[in-house]
Protein backbone atom coordinates (compact mmCIF):
# COMPACT_ATOMS: atom_id res chain seq x y z
CA UNK A 1 0.00 0.00 0.00
CA UNK A 2 2.17 2.81 -1.27
CA UNK A 3 1.37 6.15 0.45
CA UNK A 4 -1.50 4.63 2.46
CA UNK A 5 -1.21 4.92 6.22
CA UNK A 6 -3.11 3.69 9.24
CA UNK A 7 -3.86 6.84 11.26
CA UNK A 8 -6.15 6.64 14.31
CA UNK A 9 -7.72 3.45 12.96
CA UNK A 10 -8.40 4.98 9.54
CA UNK A 11 -6.84 3.85 6.27
CA UNK A 12 -5.66 7.17 4.82
CA UNK A 13 -4.19 7.99 1.44
CA UNK A 14 -2.54 11.36 1.82
CA UNK A 15 -0.36 11.73 -1.27
CA UNK A 16 -0.14 10.29 -4.77
CA UNK A 17 0.87 6.73 -4.72
CA UNK A 18 -1.41 3.97 -5.91
CA UNK A 19 -4.67 2.20 -5.38
CA UNK A 20 -5.15 -0.22 -2.51
CA UNK A 21 -6.03 -3.61 -4.02
CA UNK A 22 -6.86 -6.57 -1.83
CA UNK A 23 -5.48 -9.37 -3.98
CA UNK A 24 -5.20 -12.19 -1.45
CA UNK A 25 -8.70 -13.42 -2.25
CA UNK A 26 -11.54 -12.85 -4.72
CA UNK A 27 -15.14 -12.36 -3.67
CA UNK A 28 -18.43 -13.05 -5.44
CA UNK A 29 -21.39 -12.71 -3.07
CA UNK A 30 -20.90 -10.33 -0.16
CA UNK A 31 -21.89 -7.23 1.75
CA UNK A 32 -19.10 -4.67 1.99
CA UNK A 33 -19.70 -1.84 4.43
CA UNK A 34 -17.32 1.00 5.03
CA UNK A 35 -17.12 4.62 6.07
CA UNK A 36 -15.32 7.13 3.89
CA UNK A 37 -14.36 10.78 3.89
CA UNK A 38 -12.81 12.66 0.99
CA UNK A 39 -10.93 15.97 0.84
CA UNK A 40 -12.44 19.10 -0.70
CA UNK A 41 -12.74 18.49 -4.47
CA UNK A 42 -11.63 14.89 -3.88
CA UNK A 43 -12.42 12.00 -6.18
CA UNK A 44 -12.09 8.33 -5.32
CA UNK A 45 -14.04 5.10 -5.54
CA UNK A 46 -14.63 1.58 -4.29
CA UNK A 47 -14.09 -1.08 -6.94
CA UNK A 48 -15.70 -4.50 -6.59
CA UNK A 49 -15.42 -7.79 -8.48
CA UNK A 50 -12.26 -6.78 -10.38
CA UNK A 51 -11.34 -9.76 -12.53
CA UNK A 52 -8.13 -8.19 -13.85
CA UNK A 53 -5.80 -6.04 -11.78
CA UNK A 54 -4.14 -4.85 -14.99
CA UNK A 55 -7.46 -3.74 -16.58
CA UNK A 56 -9.38 -2.75 -13.46
CA UNK A 57 -11.30 0.04 -15.23
CA UNK A 58 -13.04 -2.41 -17.58
CA UNK A 59 -13.28 -5.53 -15.43
CA UNK A 60 -15.03 -4.36 -12.28
CA UNK A 61 -17.70 -2.05 -10.96
CA UNK A 62 -16.88 1.30 -9.33
CA UNK A 63 -19.04 2.89 -6.69
CA UNK A 64 -18.06 6.54 -6.98
CA UNK A 65 -16.76 8.77 -4.20
CA UNK A 66 -16.78 12.43 -5.20
CA UNK A 67 -16.83 15.63 -3.16
CA UNK A 68 -19.66 18.03 -3.97
CA UNK A 69 -17.13 20.76 -4.78
CA UNK A 70 -15.48 18.74 -7.58
CA UNK A 71 -17.39 20.71 -10.22
CA UNK A 72 -15.73 19.04 -13.21
CA UNK A 73 -17.47 15.76 -12.41
CA UNK A 74 -20.56 16.99 -10.53
CA UNK A 75 -22.23 18.04 -13.79
CA UNK A 76 -22.51 14.38 -14.74
CA UNK A 77 -25.13 12.59 -12.60
CA UNK A 78 -23.52 9.18 -13.14
CA UNK A 79 -20.25 10.50 -11.66
CA UNK A 80 -21.47 11.78 -8.28
CA UNK A 81 -20.97 9.98 -4.97
CA UNK A 82 -22.97 6.79 -4.68
CA UNK A 83 -23.33 6.27 -8.42
CA UNK A 84 -22.34 3.18 -10.32
CA UNK A 85 -19.66 5.14 -12.14
CA UNK A 86 -20.66 6.32 -15.62
CA UNK A 87 -23.73 4.04 -15.63
CA UNK A 88 -26.33 4.65 -12.90
CA UNK A 89 -26.92 7.92 -11.03
CA UNK A 90 -28.25 8.07 -7.47
CA UNK A 91 -31.78 9.41 -7.00
CA UNK A 92 -32.22 13.19 -7.24
CA UNK A 93 -31.21 14.95 -4.06
CA UNK A 94 -29.18 12.06 -2.62
CA UNK A 95 -25.75 13.53 -1.92
CA UNK A 96 -22.73 12.79 0.24
CA UNK A 97 -22.02 14.85 3.36
CA UNK A 98 -19.00 17.06 2.56
CA UNK A 99 -16.23 17.11 5.15
CA UNK A 100 -17.95 14.34 7.14
CA UNK A 101 -17.86 10.58 7.30
CA UNK A 102 -20.18 8.90 4.83
CA UNK A 103 -21.22 5.26 4.79
CA UNK A 104 -21.55 2.75 1.94
CA UNK A 105 -23.15 -0.65 2.10
CA UNK A 106 -22.44 -2.48 -1.13
CA UNK A 107 -24.19 -5.79 -1.78
CA UNK A 108 -23.31 -8.30 -4.47
CA UNK A 109 -25.60 -11.33 -4.65
CA UNK A 110 -25.38 -13.30 -7.87
CA UNK A 111 -26.27 -10.94 -10.71
CA UNK A 112 -27.55 -8.23 -8.37
CA UNK A 113 -25.44 -5.28 -7.24
CA UNK A 114 -26.79 -2.52 -5.01
CA UNK A 115 -25.45 0.30 -2.89
CA UNK A 116 -26.78 2.45 -0.10
CA UNK A 117 -25.09 5.67 0.92
CA UNK A 118 -25.85 7.01 4.37
CA UNK A 119 -28.85 4.67 4.57
CA UNK A 120 -30.43 5.61 1.21
CA UNK A 121 -30.29 3.29 -1.78
CA UNK A 122 -28.34 4.93 -4.60
CA UNK A 123 -28.72 2.14 -7.17
CA UNK A 124 -29.72 -1.48 -7.63
CA UNK A 125 -29.06 -3.40 -10.84
CA UNK A 126 -29.37 -6.96 -12.09
CA UNK A 127 -26.61 -7.63 -14.62
CA UNK A 128 -28.54 -10.56 -16.08
CA UNK A 129 -31.01 -8.09 -17.61
CA UNK A 130 -30.67 -7.50 -21.35
CA UNK A 131 -29.56 -3.89 -20.81
CA UNK A 132 -26.28 -5.08 -19.23
CA UNK A 133 -25.35 -7.42 -22.11
CA UNK A 134 -23.80 -4.65 -24.22
CA UNK A 135 -21.10 -2.07 -23.42
CA UNK A 136 -22.36 1.14 -21.83
CA UNK A 137 -20.86 4.44 -20.82
CA UNK A 138 -17.11 4.54 -21.31
CA UNK A 139 -16.67 0.82 -20.73
CA UNK A 140 -15.60 -1.55 -23.50
CA UNK A 141 -17.00 -4.69 -21.85
CA UNK A 142 -20.65 -5.32 -20.91
CA UNK A 143 -21.21 -5.57 -17.14
CA UNK A 144 -23.44 -8.58 -17.68
CA UNK A 145 -20.58 -10.58 -19.18
CA UNK A 146 -17.96 -9.81 -16.52
CA UNK A 147 -16.99 -12.50 -14.02
CA UNK A 148 -18.97 -12.22 -10.81
CA UNK A 149 -15.96 -13.04 -8.68
CA UNK A 150 -13.10 -10.63 -8.25
CA UNK A 151 -10.85 -8.44 -6.15
CA UNK A 152 -11.70 -5.36 -4.10
CA UNK A 153 -9.92 -2.02 -4.53
CA UNK A 154 -9.95 1.40 -2.90
CA UNK A 155 -9.05 4.01 -5.50
CA UNK A 156 -6.35 6.65 -5.26
CA UNK A 157 -7.34 9.65 -7.37
CA UNK A 158 -4.91 12.35 -6.21
CA UNK A 159 -6.64 13.89 -3.17
CA UNK A 160 -6.76 12.73 0.43
CA UNK A 161 -9.32 10.02 1.10
CA UNK A 162 -9.92 8.06 4.30
CA UNK A 163 -11.68 4.77 5.00
CA UNK A 164 -12.63 3.15 8.30
CA UNK A 165 -14.91 0.45 9.67
CA UNK A 166 -14.27 -1.72 6.61
CA UNK A 167 -16.27 -4.91 7.01
CA UNK A 168 -16.83 -7.70 4.52
CA UNK A 169 -19.51 -10.31 5.08
CA UNK A 170 -19.47 -13.21 2.58
CA UNK A 171 -22.89 -14.36 1.42
CA UNK A 172 -23.75 -17.92 0.37
Amino acid sequence: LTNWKAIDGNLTRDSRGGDAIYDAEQFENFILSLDWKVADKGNSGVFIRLSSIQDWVNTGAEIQILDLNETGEMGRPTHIAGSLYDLVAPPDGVRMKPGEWNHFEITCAGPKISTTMNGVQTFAIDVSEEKWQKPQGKFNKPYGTLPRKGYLMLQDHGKMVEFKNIKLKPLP
Side-chain angles (χ1 to χ4, degrees), residues 4 13 15-20 43-44 154-159 161:
W4 289 83
R13 210 272 317 134
S15 62
R16 291 186 184 269
D19 305 311
N43 183 343
S44 185
L154 303 175
Q155 186 184 43
D156 164 17
H157 215 310
K159 292 272 187 174
V161 62

Side-chain angles (χ1 to χ4, degrees), residues 27-32 48-49 106-115 125-128 148-149 169-172:
F27 302 95
E28 182 174 0
N29 299 311
F30 57 87
I31 298 171
L32 174 64
I48 55 171
R49 291 181 166 176
I106 302 163
T107 303
C108 291
K112 297 180 180 181
I113 302 172
S114 64
T115 296
I125 66 169
D126 182 334
V127 297
S128 66
R148 293 190 185 148
K149 189 173 189 177
K169 177 184 175 183
L171 299 174

Side-chain angles (χ1 to χ4, degrees), residues 2-162:
T2 305
N3 292 327
W4 289 83
K5 298 176 184 173
I7 301 171
D8 297 328
N10 304 336
L11 183 59
T12 303
R13 210 272 317 134
D14 62 357
S15 62
R16 291 186 184 269
D19 305 311
I21 299 173
Y22 181 74
D23 64 1
E25 186 176 355
Q26 293 187 13
F27 302 95
E28 182 174 0
N29 299 311
F30 57 87
I31 298 171
L32 174 64
S33 67
L34 52 83
D35 297 325
W36 57 271
K37 183 168 36 170
V38 66
D40 184 55
K41 298 182 182 176
N43 183 343
S44 185
V46 177
F47 281 78
I48 55 171
R49 291 181 166 176
L50 297 175
S51 59
S52 169
I53 293 173
Q54 290 74 34
D55 187 18
W56 49 268
V57 168
N58 287 298
T59 65
E62 177 186 1
I63 293 75
Q64 174 75 322
I65 293 174
L66 185 74
D67 183 64
L68 290 172
N69 295 318
E70 213 307 328
T71 55
E73 297 282 332
M74 281 300 293
R76 301 162 88 179
T78 59
H79 288 205
I80 64 176
S83 66
L84 178 58
Y85 183 80
D86 212 37
L87 298 172
V88 182
D92 287 342
V94 176
R95 299 292 180 263
M96 56 84 69
K97 299 179 282 188
E100 296 182 35
W101 286 102
N102 293 270
H103 180 76
F104 278 160
E105 185 170 287
I106 302 163
T107 303
C108 291
K112 297 180 180 181
I113 302 172
S114 64
T115 296
T116 63
M117 180 173 68
N118 301 326
V120 178
Q121 187 172 72
T122 59
F123 73 86
I125 66 169
D126 182 334
V127 297
S128 66
E129 293 173 356
E130 185 178 333
K131 165 183 183 171
W132 301 105
Q133 304 311 307
K134 59 184 178 188
Q136 295 186 37
K138 71 172 196 153
F139 304 100
N140 63 22
K141 295 179 183 176
Y143 267 41
T145 64
L146 295 177
R148 293 190 185 148
K149 189 173 189 177
Y151 303 105
L152 303 174
M153 182 180 87
L154 303 175
Q155 186 184 43
D156 164 17
H157 215 310
K159 292 272 187 174
M160 189 173 100
V161 62
E162 297 178 85

